[in-house]
Every structure is written in C-alpha cells, then in structure tokens.
Amino acid sequence: MGEFDLIARYFQRDAPNTVLGIGDDAALVLPRPGQQLAVAADTMVEGRHFFAGTDPYSLGWKVLAVNLSDMAAMGAVPRWFTLCLTLPQADASWLAEFSRGLFSLARRFDIDLIGGDTTRGPLAFSVQILGEVAPDAALRRSGAQVGDDVWLSGTTGYAALMVGQRSGWLVLAQEDATRCAPYLDRPEPRIALGLALRGLATAAIDVSDGLVADLGHIAQQSGLSACIHLDQLALPTLQSPPSSDIVLAAALTGGDDYELCFTASPERRDAIAALALALPLPVQRIGSMQLGAGVAVLDANQQRISLDHTGFNHFA
Ligand code: ADP
Ligand code: MG
C-alpha cells in the first residue's frame, strides 16, 4: 500500500465544511464572516503519551479528543483538523481501527479532516485543529477575578489511576480497572460546556496536566491565587480503592482528565447549576480565586495540605 492509497483509503472522507480538502498542496477553508480562528495542536508519541500496544481505535479517538478539548477550553466551535502520522509500517487493520476511532469523533462534532502528512518512523501522531470564536468571546486563562468561584466538570483522577495500573505500580481490582480505562483511553471533550460558558465563565482551561497545575495556569495568568476546598472536591469512586492518598493525588495532580476547570462570578451560580442540569454534565464548585499567587489545597479544617506527601508520581 503506497502513501496515497493509504490516505485515500483511511483518511479521505467527505469534507462538507471545506472549500478544498485533501489532495492539493494545501487545504482551503472559509471561516464564517467576522469570526476569529482558534488554532491548537497536540502530539502523541508512543511510550511517552500512550502505552505501546494501546488499541488503535482509542488512539484515533484520543488524538482528536485532546485537541477538541482545547477548543472546548477556549469556547471555540471546532471546524477543521489536520493529521500528521508517523508509522513504523502500514498495517491495514491498525489503520482501519485508528481511522474508525478518529472519524467517530469527527462526525459527532461535524469537523472535517482537511490534510496532513504521512511519514515512516516510530509511532507518533499529531493533530492540528481549527475552530471559530467571535471576537472577545474566547475563554482565556487570564480573565479570573478576585472572589470568583472555581468550578470543575466531571471528576478528575480516574485517568491517572489507570496510568498507575498500566505502569504496574498500582494494582486495581478488575472492575475498577474497567471503570477507569475509558477515562484514559476515550476522554470526552466538553465542547457543549465550553460553548455554553461563553459569557458565563471569566476564565477556563482543560485539565491535561493535573487539576492543581492547570488551575495554577489560570491563577498565574490572571495575577491571582486559587484555593481548592478538599471537602467540596468529588473523588473517584472505586469498589476497592487504593490508599486515600493515592486517590487524592490522582484527582489533584494526575492529569489526562480533559475536564474543564473554569472560574465565574458567584452571581452566576444559579446559571451554572441550570446549565449542568441541561447538558447534562455534573459540575462541582471546588474553590475560589483570591489576591496572591499559587494554588492552595485546603482540608476540612482550612489547613493547607502538602501535595509532596501524597506519594503520587506520574513518572514513577
Ligand atoms: P505534499 O507533498 O504537498 O506535502 P503529500 O504528498 O504529503 O503532499 O500529501 C498529499 C495530500 O494528502 C495533501 O493534501 C495532504 O494534506 C494529504 N495528507 C497527507 N497525509 C495525510 C494524513 N495523514 N491525513 C490526512 N491528509 C493527509
Ligand atoms: Mg507532505
């Protein structure tokens, strides 16, 4: 199978939102009048971002999902994407499954694959995504205000627990591993939430590196501090949970969750609760923004807890 056969067979699909798609030297797209383009890219390298042997359907899904998550975090409508693929060999059944996972999400969000590049080498792929957002409507990291609430969609920690299990340093019961795996392999980009937060949230970020680290980016770029109240944070629920330190650390510092963390004025509490019901998607109010710098995690007695002592290390 030559490179052009491979592209035609596995990646050339209808592109109804595109002026000129795959097959020329560059694609042509026409943003809707007056819209800004939101552009993001994310790369996944075998052994670094995913375990060797991960099923190809999940890989196709995830490389698009993590990019869609960036659009969600900006409040942008995703429209087009490109795909750069580096493959050790052209394995037909691998490609068919990768393509199926990729396009299942692409169709769901009505976005077109408009081009890319295909080369031979160690397994890696990269998506660049383009979306649209009206001027001044994007959800930036820098907009949080003193006194804003901090909100989080869903529950963080499941994906990191699965990383622990696959790395071999954590042993989960079979039913718990089955529960955690989809959070790591097939994250759900929170597009509908991101779009609905335009005009409601003051700042937003998607949680890819861990809740504390990513909320830290909002704090830093807004020139403020953030606190998380542990008694308000929902943790992963498992049948046979590992130590509470490990579960807590996974939720706070684990990463790979792709939930949205956002800030909003306390006046917006009712609107955000109504939105959560309408989507439907649980959101939790986990803390607030204050003067100062950094992220403090407070226990039920308002005492600061140290994350160094939770004993969790993503790279262990
Ligand atoms: P060029 O030599 O101009 O870079 P290529 O031969 O690399 O063109 O690619 C031919 C066409 O196929 C281009 O339109 C390119 O965007 C598209 N393409 C290449 N690889 C992929 C891929 N993995 N997914 C989608 N489109 C691809
Ligand atoms: Mg090329």
Side-chain angles (χ1 to χ4, degrees):
M1 176 168 40
E3 183 188 328
F4 299 108
D5 282 344
L6 185 158
I7 295 162
R9 202 176 300 175
Y10 299 108
F11 299 110
Q12 202 153 11
R13 296 289 183 273
D14 281 352
N17 307 311
T18 301
V19 178
L20 182 65
I22 291 173
D24 215 309
D25 297 307
L28 301 173
V29 299
L30 186 64
R32 294 178 179 108
Q35 297 286 299
Q36 294 179 341
L37 276 182
V39 184
D42 259 309
T43 297
M44 290 173 56
V45 176
E46 186 178 60
R48 175 70 188 86
H49 302 96
F50 60 92
F51 292 92
T54 302
D55 75 279
Y57 185 101
S58 294
L59 294 174
W61 173 291
K62 187 162 178 177
V63 73
L64 189 52
V66 301
N67 279 278
L68 284 163
S69 179
D70 284 323
M71 293 290 109
M74 289 306 282
V77 179
R79 308 254 2 241
W80 306 281
F81 69 106
T82 62
L83 171 69
C84 294
L85 261 183
T86 308
L87 300 169
Q89 72 267 319
D91 175 332
S93 62
W94 191 97
L95 280 160
E97 281 301 288
F98 180 88
S99 166
R100 230 165 46 79
L102 183 83
F103 284 108
S104 68
L105 267 190
R107 272 191 302 272
R108 170 129 71 91
F109 292 101
D110 189 28
I111 63 176
D112 295 349
L113 176 55
I114 58 171
D117 203 19
T118 306
T119 54
R120 194 181 286 270
L123 187 62
F125 21 86
S126 182
V127 161
Q128 181 169 58
I129 194 162
L130 297 102
E132 292 172 349
V133 63
D136 299 321
L139 303 172
R140 301 183 185 204
R141 298 177 178 181
S142 56
Q145 305 291 313
V146 173
D148 276 358
D149 295 322
V150 175
W151 297 84
L152 176 67
S153 68
T155 305
T156 55
Y158 289 105
L161 291 171
M162 199 61 206
V163 170
Q165 160 91 358
R166 295 226 175 111
S167 309
W169 63 264
L170 185 64
V171 180
L172 297 174
Q174 182 55 50
E175 71 262 32
D176 289 335
T178 303
R179 177 158 167 69
C180 291
Y183 290 88
L184 180 63
D185 294 333
R186 313 244 175 117
E188 278 292 329
R190 303 304 190 191
I191 293 289
L193 176 62
L195 293 177
L197 287 175
R198 292 176 301 185
L200 266 184
T202 51
I205 191 167
D206 65 322
V207 180
S208 54
D209 295 335
L211 177 58
V212 171
D214 287 318
L215 178 55
H217 293 307
I218 288 184
Q220 199 248 329
Q221 294 196 27
S222 297
L224 296 174
S225 70
C227 69
I228 296 173
H229 293 284
L230 270 191
D231 54 353
Q232 295 174 34
L233 181 70
L235 298 176
T237 51
L238 300 180
Q239 294 291 316
S240 317
S243 82
S244 58
D245 265 9
I246 288 180
V247 176
L248 184 59
L252 289 171
T253 66
D256 249 336
D257 300 297
Y258 304 100
E259 295 296 346
L260 294 187
C261 178
F262 57 97
T263 58
S265 161
E267 288 163 21
R268 303 296 203 168
R269 282 179 192 173
D270 290 347
I272 290 168
L275 172 61
L277 272 179
L279 284 172
L281 174 65
V283 296
Q284 356 170 13
R285 184 159 53 82
I286 60 170
S288 64
M289 303 300 299
Q290 307 297 340
L291 292 176
V295 178
V297 181
L298 305 176
D299 66 17
N301 302 317
Q302 309 306 310
Q303 295 302 303
R304 228 181 140 134
I305 69 153
S306 161
L307 295 177
D308 300 343
H309 295 149
T310 49
F312 184 93
N313 183 349
H314 206 73
F315 301 102

